[in-house]
Amino acid sequence: DTGVSQNPRHKITKRGQNVTFRCDPISEHNRLYWYRQTLGQGPEFLTYFQNEAQLEKSRLLSDRFSAERPKGSFSTLEIQRTEQGDSAMYLCASSLSGTSGGWFFGPGTRLTVL
Amino acid sequence: GIQVEQSPPDLILQEGANSTLRCNFSDSVNNLQWFHQNPWGQLINLFYIPSGTKQNGRLSATTVATERYSLLYISSSQTTDSGVYFCGGQEGSARQLTFGSGTQLTVLP
């Protein structure tokens, strides 16, 4: 297993376009998390899945954001009608329930909205 | 929600120096972890440290859960230690980690 992977690594888009990011967690990990990070700040929680169920969403998450984890494996994060304020690094992490610690992050997707 | 305060926000060291980074929580947390964010943006897990002390090579961490803080020690720093260090913890029954704003460490050759 090569860890958590994310694609694409970079995305440049024009305001108003839709974008979709993918996260592949560590294969045996049943928990998956999406975070957003802007320059100079710590990661900010967006949403959390246990298996295929989306169990928690940040109240800060706009209706333009949607996430899925259809088979409890990979996950996608879609942003509709992107705005310049959506420019950030989007991070995915995975962990295994019943264990403590052991969060592993992917390399992130850097989104730039022009 | 909990507040996580990290200090100092920035730290510049000469190679070989030692340093201590601190993380304060506004309330009790579970699953306290330290991460290093490398220059490419990836967060690397350093320690799971809900209480007590752990060591891994030149790095060690101590958490005093009753006083709601954790410390990360870096000894004999190297230029490869540069980057941003984050701590995070889970509040109550929440599953997500809440992170601080990080400490930006620069180690000069």
Side-chain angles (χ1 to χ4, degrees), chain A residues 7 56 58 63 69 83 90-91 107 113:
Chain A
N7 288 288
E56 197 155 346
S58 168
D63 290 345
R69 195 182 182 198
E83 302 173 355
Y90 289 83
L91 299 166
V113 182

Side-chain angles (χ1 to χ4, degrees), chain A residues 31 33 35 37 40-43 45 48 56 91 100-103 105-107, chain B residues 31 33 35 37 40-43 45 48 86 90 95-101:
Chain A
R31 290 181 176 168
Y33 314 82
Y35 279 77
Q37 186 180 24
Q41 300 298 314
F45 170 71
Y48 152 65
E56 197 155 346
L91 299 166
S100 295
W103 275 45
F105 278 84
Chain B
N31 205 5
Q33 298 181 54
F35 296 86
Q37 189 163 41
W40 298 272
Q42 185 160 10
L43 284 155
N45 196 307
Y48 162 66
F86 290 100
Q90 291 173 327
R95 294 294 177 217
Q96 71 271 23
L97 292 176
T98 299
F99 289 89
S101 296

Side-chain angles (χ1 to χ4, degrees), chain B residues 5-31:
Chain B
E5 183 180 330
Q6 289 191 244
S7 60
D10 297 279
L11 187 57
I12 300 175
L13 302 172
Q14 287 294 139
E15 201 167 25
N18 303 329
S19 61
T20 301
L21 282 57
R22 186 177 178 110
C23 182
N24 289 333
F25 292 88
S26 60
D27 204 344
S28 299
V29 295
N30 305 309
N31 205 5

